[in-house]
């Protein structure tokens, strides 16, 4: 599972050091996978976030079982990202990344793992309504 997490973070543009630190692994493992996938090295130095999606991928933390968590996520109030003067819910950002559209209604974790923010694991209201209709039939 760690390989999948490394690949996601490499494609998100993180450095080898940042990925190793976030996943608690050695930098050589990240470096070798970067070379295997022919992904260019990141230039050194601080990189300001290019987009709110970039902020999401920098802070989201992969788990060993394929989910993503958010540091300090408040399950009752949610967590938010401030970027370029806009404040957005972490769950709404995850939904937009995973579904390539803005969510309708409240976004919730749909995989059953409390606090998961993986873009493929969150649902909006129409998706939940559709699931209910399928299982009610």
């Amino acid at each position: 599972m760690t390989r999948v997490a490394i690949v996601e973070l490499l494609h998100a543009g993180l450095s080898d050091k940042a990925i190793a630190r976030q996943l608690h692994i050695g930098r050589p493992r990240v470096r070798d996978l970067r070379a295997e996938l022919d992904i260019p090295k990141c230039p050194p130095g601080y990189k300001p976030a290019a987009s709110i999606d970039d902020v999401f991928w920098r802070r989201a933390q992969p788990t060993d079982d394929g989910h993503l968590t958010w540091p300090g996520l408040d399950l009752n109030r949610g967590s938010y990202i401030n970027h370029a003067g806009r404040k957005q819910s972490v769950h709404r950002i995850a939904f937009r990344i995973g579904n390539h559209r803005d969510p309708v209604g409240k976004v919730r974790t749909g995989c059953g793992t409390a606090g998961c923010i993986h873009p493929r694991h969150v649902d909006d209201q129409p998706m939940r309504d559709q699931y209910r209709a399928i299982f009610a039939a």
Side-chain angles (χ1 to χ4, degrees):
M1 190 61 204
T2 305
R3 180 184 171 90
V4 173
I6 295 170
V7 171
E8 282 186 13
L9 294 173
L10 283 171
H11 286 297
L14 274 69
S15 68
D16 295 358
K17 183 177 180 180
I19 295 169
R21 184 175 47 240
Q22 186 169 334
L23 299 178
H24 308 289
I25 58 174
R27 274 198 261 179
R29 184 166 180 198
V30 179
R31 182 195 62 226
D32 294 345
L33 188 53
R34 181 184 295 276
E36 178 185 324
L37 298 173
D38 199 29
I39 297 173
K41 287 183 86 173
C42 295
Y46 176 77
K47 297 163 204 64
S51 67
I52 201 158
D53 294 359
D54 186 27
V55 176
F56 176 88
W57 286 115
R58 286 182 184 197
R59 295 204 46 215
Q61 298 178 343
T63 63
D64 291 336
D65 55 355
H67 300 279
L68 285 176
T69 60
W70 191 258
L73 177 67
D74 184 337
L75 293 176
N76 295 319
R77 294 182 6 204
S79 289
Y80 296 86
I81 296 175
N82 287 309
H83 181 265
R86 292 183 63 198
K87 180 178 175 181
Q88 293 187 42
S89 157
V90 172
H91 281 86
R92 292 182 78 79
I93 296 165
F95 182 88
R96 194 178 59 254
I97 290 169
N99 295 281
H100 309 289
R101 67 174 176 87
D102 287 329
V104 176
K106 186 169 179 138
V107 177
R108 295 189 177 142
T109 300
C111 64
T113 299
C116 179
I117 58 158
H118 196 292
R120 292 186 303 256
H121 297 184
V122 292
D123 303 327
D124 67 349
Q125 190 62 51
M127 292 169 83
R128 289 191 299 277
D129 292 344
Q130 184 180 16
Y131 298 149
R132 275 190 219 106
I134 291 170
F135 291 113

